[in-house]
Amino acid sequence: MTAEQTNQGVFSRRSLMKGVAGLGGGLVVASFANLFGIRPASAGHDRKDDPQLILNLAATAETLATTFYYAALTSAQFELHEEDILYLKLALDAEKYHLDFLVSNGGRALTNQFYVPANLLSDPALFVQVGADAETAFVGAYLAATRRFAELGADRLAGTTAQHACSEAQHLALIREIGGFAPNNLPLPLPIYYNVSDAVPTLAPFLQGGQGFIGPVTAPTAAQIMTVLGGVKSDPTQPYTRVF
């Protein structure tokens, strides 16, 4: 394996922010932030995400994730090997599990419609890039949620969001594997966000569109997800909140 195969796809905060450039700058990001009640003046370490905001942001991200994996399984125009299809089905099942947990704990997705890069389902390289960028963002956001819940003394929720981060890191590794890259290139997941709300600019293009994006694409229903899974199911497990 070459150095390029090993290192390509080590996604940085800079790469995650690329999509914002085509959206008209800070105005669009600010308007999206306002939908969540995030004050533009409150940034970085000064911001104090409340639990409801964290749950809502996470539910929105998980709804996007189910849309991404469902679309890949039902509409990809490039070849997927049998093991890749299994990886994607298990990822879809896991994202639905995450979403169900968040909703059962009061989380609410902002929308069930998303915009996606125009060639997402026809260009396998773009699919892998977007998938890995998204999973990197999800890992970073759940790490930030873990930090914040710990700060608030919500230890069981912190343990559960840590579980979610571990699951998203698995998806990142498998997306890289599908793309032909070393799946375990990172000794630690990237700590790209201090607060969950710091991920808002990363999500903004998928909710509001922009240059090179098409849509909106509607998130799949639970019944549609069950149909495409075709009986594939993750091994049973329990969230930290139900064990301790």
Side-chain angles (χ1 to χ4, degrees), residues 70-113:
Y70 180 83
L73 287 164
T74 59
S75 304
Q77 299 169 29
F78 47 83
E79 181 182 3
L80 286 166
H81 298 297
E82 185 176 347
E83 63 269 25
D84 297 337
I85 293 173
L86 179 59
Y87 293 161
L88 294 175
K89 285 185 176 183
L90 288 170
L92 174 59
D93 183 62
E95 304 294 19
K96 178 64 166 55
Y97 186 97
H98 300 169
L99 179 58
D100 289 345
F101 172 85
L102 294 164
V103 171
S104 70
N105 282 272
R108 182 183 64 84
L110 176 67
T111 182
N112 70 337
Q113 293 190 316

Side-chain angles (χ1 to χ4, degrees), residues 138-212:
F138 298 157
V139 173
Y142 275 123
L143 291 176
T146 301
R147 180 205 63 78
R148 179 58 176 151
F149 280 136
E151 183 177 54
L152 290 169
D155 55 337
R156 291 172 176 80
L157 275 176
T160 304
T161 52
Q163 286 179 292
H164 286 199
C166 291
S167 178
E168 304 297 358
Q170 289 181 326
H171 302 165
L172 171 59
L174 293 174
I175 285 285
R176 286 178 56 85
E177 174 75 17
I178 291 172
F181 303 118
N184 57 333
N185 62 309
L186 296 175
L188 292 172
L190 297 177
I192 52 177
Y193 307 126
Y194 186 76
N195 292 292
V196 179
S197 53
D198 294 338
V200 164
T202 306
L203 288 176
F206 296 97
L207 276 87
Q208 299 199 353
Q211 184 177 359

Side-chain angles (χ1 to χ4, degrees), residues 32-52:
F32 176 40
N34 289 338
L35 293 175
F36 280 105
I38 301 171
R39 292 176 298 170
S42 178
H45 294 189
D46 294 333
R47 186 183 298 128
K48 299 293 185 182
D49 290 350
D50 62 52
Q52 189 63 58

